[in-house]
Amino acid sequence: MQLDPHVLHLAIRWIHVAAMATAFGGAVMVLALSINTTPREGDAGLLDAATRYEWVFWAAAGVLAMTGIGNLATFGQGLPVPGTDWAAAFMAKLTAVIALVVFSIPRTLAVAGIRAGVAAPRQRERIRSLYGATAAAFAVILGLAVWLAHG
Amino acid sequence: MSGPHEDARKLVTWSLSTFHASAFVLAIVLLLYSRGGLGPALGGLNTLFGLGLFVALWVTTYVTTSRALEGIDLLDPAVDRVRFLRRALRWGAANALAFLAVLGILFVAGAILTAPAGLMSLVFIGPFAVVIGAAVGAVVGTFFGLVDLALCALARAALVSET
């Protein structure tokens, strides 16, 4: 049985969008939790949410990289060549994605460190800064992705 | 039952292995695209086959990264960096060989189904592929080992600095 390439590419695109929504939405959720919960409620719940998010974030990052290349494969030989506006936006997006992946490692390690008991004063403020930066990076990447798809 | 340290260690392994596999592939995509070679490369690749190859690389990278991190706590400021880099070199080479083995199996399966005469080329290409693959894997593994150490230092600084 031959799989319809249009169905396959549509499925890949849906998975890509779902992974992006999960990673971006999760970062915003942890950021909102760090803003909305009061110190009296304790940092344990916030740290739990951040730790769970890190597991999900890396799963989503792998899926995004995999399906992102799958999306490019849809273009095949018709992929816009370097030197065009689309190419400039694509390279900016790819560079931003690589930067986000690289600088997410210190965030994950910081959360894992706090989880393992490394003393970190002002945990709530640190978590707020880390997830604020992650959500902002995702917003930039999302803007570029929307431009690439519809611009 | 796993405690907070074990949970943290598992999270570090999962994040670093996914980081290595994703960053490696994305860097190749960026390099190929900037030189105009991505379209032809993707045009000749079946989409499902490509997704399968990424999953295979992800799995081999997870296994080799967890072996490289065995008994090493990157969150510890006194971590033995030289020991870690030696492990990164060795397991980077092992990862490349494991991925090469996956490619070899697919090549043999494809040749048996379509053109069994092509199997002879494996005898000639195989030894070179193993040597070059191991060397490239060792270099990439060491590079990622150095990046990991730098990012760990950044994470420690983020934890203790004044906000």
Side-chain angles (χ1 to χ4, degrees):
Chain A
M1 195 180 90
Q2 191 71 30
L3 187 63
D4 183 347
H6 293 99
V7 172
L8 177 64
H9 290 139
L10 186 64
I12 290 170
R13 190 164 283 200
W14 278 355
I15 294 168
H16 191 77
V17 171
M20 180 66 177
T22 305
F24 186 23
V28 172
M29 190 199 70
V30 179
L31 175 66
L33 277 175
S34 72
I35 294 167
N36 285 335
T37 52
T38 61
R40 197 166 56 86
E41 290 170 297
D43 288 335
L46 177 59
L47 191 57
D48 267 351
T51 307
R52 281 167 204 264
Y53 172 74
E54 292 307 327
W55 280 95
V56 173
F57 169 85
W58 287 105
V63 170
L64 282 167
M66 180 173 68
T67 52
I69 299 164
N71 281 337
L72 289 174
T74 311
F75 287 96
Q77 299 280 8
L79 193 67
V81 292
T84 58
D85 284 351
W86 191 94
F90 172 67
M91 287 178 72
K93 184 196 171 195
L94 204 49
T95 306
V97 169
I98 292 173
L100 174 63
V101 168
V102 170
F103 289 106
S104 287
I105 286 292
R107 187 198 64 233
T108 304
L109 293 177
V111 170
I114 296 171
R115 185 91 186 160
V118 174
R122 298 182 186 170
Q123 275 181 29
R124 179 171 300 272
E125 286 82 354
R126 281 174 208 284
I127 288 175
R128 192 177 300 159
S129 309
L130 290 168
Y131 288 91
T134 303
F138 266 123
V140 170
I141 292 167
L142 185 63
L144 287 165
V146 169
W147 191 88
L148 283 169
H150 306 289
Chain B
M1 207 172 106
S2 62
H5 277 90
E6 182 60 14
D7 288 346
R9 197 190 60 75
K10 284 179 182 168
L11 177 57
V12 170
T13 304
W14 171 237
S15 60
L16 286 179
S17 56
T18 307
F19 161 59
H20 296 158
S22 303
F24 178 69
V25 171
L26 291 175
I28 289 174
V29 168
L30 186 61
L31 190 74
L32 272 177
Y33 184 74
S34 64
R35 295 182 178 194
L38 187 63
L42 288 175
L45 189 68
N46 174 284
T47 304
L48 270 183
F49 183 74
L51 297 179
L53 282 185
F54 185 89
V55 172
L57 179 67
W58 201 355
V59 170
T60 59
T61 307
Y62 178 79
V63 172
T64 50
T65 302
S66 46
R67 293 301 298 271
L69 288 171
E70 246 174 34
I72 290 178
D73 181 6
L74 284 179
L75 297 168
D76 182 357
V79 63
D80 187 342
R81 290 170 180 79
V82 175
R83 182 177 171 226
F84 174 65
L85 286 175
R86 278 190 193 138
R87 292 263 197 97
L89 182 145
R90 197 178 335 136
W91 286 105
N95 189 13
L97 292 179
F99 186 66
L100 205 58
V102 173
L103 290 179
I105 290 166
L106 292 173
F107 178 81
V108 170
I112 288 171
L113 290 173
T114 55
L119 283 173
M120 278 307 288
S121 63
L122 197 64
V123 177
F124 299 106
I125 298 169
F128 293 104
V130 166
V131 172
I132 294 169
V136 171
V139 171
V140 173
T142 308
F143 171 75
F144 273 119
L146 288 166
V147 172
D148 292 348
L149 288 175
L151 294 174
C152 284
L154 203 60
R156 280 195 295 271
L159 281 176
V160 297
S161 68
E162 287 299 316
T163 53

